[in-house]
Amino acid sequence: MTTLDPTVTDPGQSVRRSRLRLPGGESTAMLLVLPIVVGVLFIGYVIWRQTADLDSIEESTLAWAAIREQLVTHVAITLVASLIVVIVAVPLGILLTRGKAKAIAPAAVAVANAGQAAPSIGLIVLLAIWLGFSFWTGVLGLVIYGLLPVLRNTITGLQGVDPTLVEAGRGIGMSGAGVLLRVELPLALPVIMAGIRTALVLVVGTAALVTFIGAGGLGGALTSGITLFRFPVMVAAALLIALLALLIEWVGRVLEVVLRPKGI
C-alpha cells in the first residue's frame, strides 16, 4: 500500500511512503466516496426525522433549531482548537529539530504524549474546575488532546528529509530559513498534513465531551438522550457526531491533497 500511516514512527519510512503515494489512487477514491456516503446518511436522517413518531421531549431535543445551534458550536470549537494546535505544534516541532533543541525533543514529545494519554473527560473536567466552565476551557482541553499528532509528525517529517538535499540547498547559497522553507518543509508537508488530519478527527470526536462543562456542541443532545432514556435521541445525536467527524476527516484529506507540493 502506498498510503501514509498518520501514526508514523519511522522517519525514513514515512517520507518514502509519501513519495510513493499515487495521487490518482486511493486518496482520489476516498475524496469521491466519503462525501457521497455522508450525504446519503444525512438524507436518511432527515427523512427519518421528518417521519418518525416522536414524543414531546424527543421533538424538542431533536428540533432543527436546537440541533443547528449545537452543530455550529461543535464546528466552531473544533476549528478554533485545531487552528491553535497547528499554530503551536508546527513551529514547536520545527524548533525541536534545530540545533541544541534537538536534545529536548524526546521530552517534549513525551509531555505531549501524556496530554493525549490522559482520559479526555477527566482532563476537560479538571481544567473546568481550575479555569471555569466555558467555551475557552473546552478549547484548551481539546488543544492539549490534539497537540501530539501534529507535533510528532512535524518532527518526524523534518527528520526524514534526505540530508543530502539539505546540504545541496546550503551549497547553492540558501540561508537556514531558505532551506527550511524551500526544501525541508515542502518535503515534510505530507507527513505534517497527516498529523493535522489525525488531530482534526481526534478533536471533533472529543468535542462531544465539552458539553459536560457547558461549552455546548452536539454532545448536549447525546447526554440528553442518555439522561432521559430516549433511544431515538441517543442514536440521532451519535449519528450526527459521526457524520460530522467523517466530514471533517474528508476536509483534512482534501487539504492534504491540495497542499501537497507537486512532484512529492
Side-chain angles (χ1 to χ4, degrees), residues 64-181:
W64 289 112
I67 292 297
R68 183 169 58 250
E69 181 181 353
Q70 293 177 11
L71 177 63
V72 170
T73 304
H74 201 110
V75 172
I77 199 169
T78 298
L79 294 181
V80 171
S82 300
L83 184 61
I84 294 175
V85 164
V86 173
I87 291 173
V88 172
V90 174
L92 181 59
I94 294 172
L95 178 65
L96 292 174
T97 59
R98 312 286 109 175
K100 295 181 179 178
K102 292 179 182 177
I104 62 172
V109 172
V111 171
N113 194 28
Q116 192 180 51
S120 52
I121 183 62
L123 176 65
I124 291 170
V125 170
L126 286 176
L127 287 173
I129 294 173
W130 178 34
L131 300 173
F133 291 69
S134 68
F135 176 89
W136 290 106
T137 302
V139 168
L140 178 59
L142 296 177
V143 168
I144 294 173
Y145 200 64
L147 201 62
L148 176 63
V150 184
L151 177 62
R152 183 179 56 193
N153 276 35
T154 301
I155 295 173
T156 300
L158 290 173
Q159 289 177 338
V161 174
D162 190 341
T164 59
L165 297 176
V166 176
E167 291 302 322
R170 291 173 180 162
I172 60 174
M174 286 186 183
S175 62
V179 171
L180 173 66
L181 295 175

Side-chain angles (χ1 to χ4, degrees), residues 3-18:
T3 53
L4 180 64
D5 182 355
T7 58
V8 288
T9 55
D10 182 357
Q13 188 180 28
S14 304
V15 174
R16 187 164 58 250
R17 284 182 178 179
S18 70

Side-chain angles (χ1 to χ4, degrees), residues 197-244:
R197 183 159 55 85
T198 302
L200 276 171
V201 175
L202 284 174
V203 169
V204 72
T206 310
L209 300 177
V210 301
T211 187
F212 291 110
I213 62 169
L218 287 170
L222 187 60
T223 54
S224 296
I226 295 172
T227 304
L228 301 173
F229 298 103
R230 292 300 194 276
F231 185 74
V233 176
M234 282 189 277
V235 173
L239 175 65
L240 291 175
I241 293 171
L243 292 181
L244 180 61

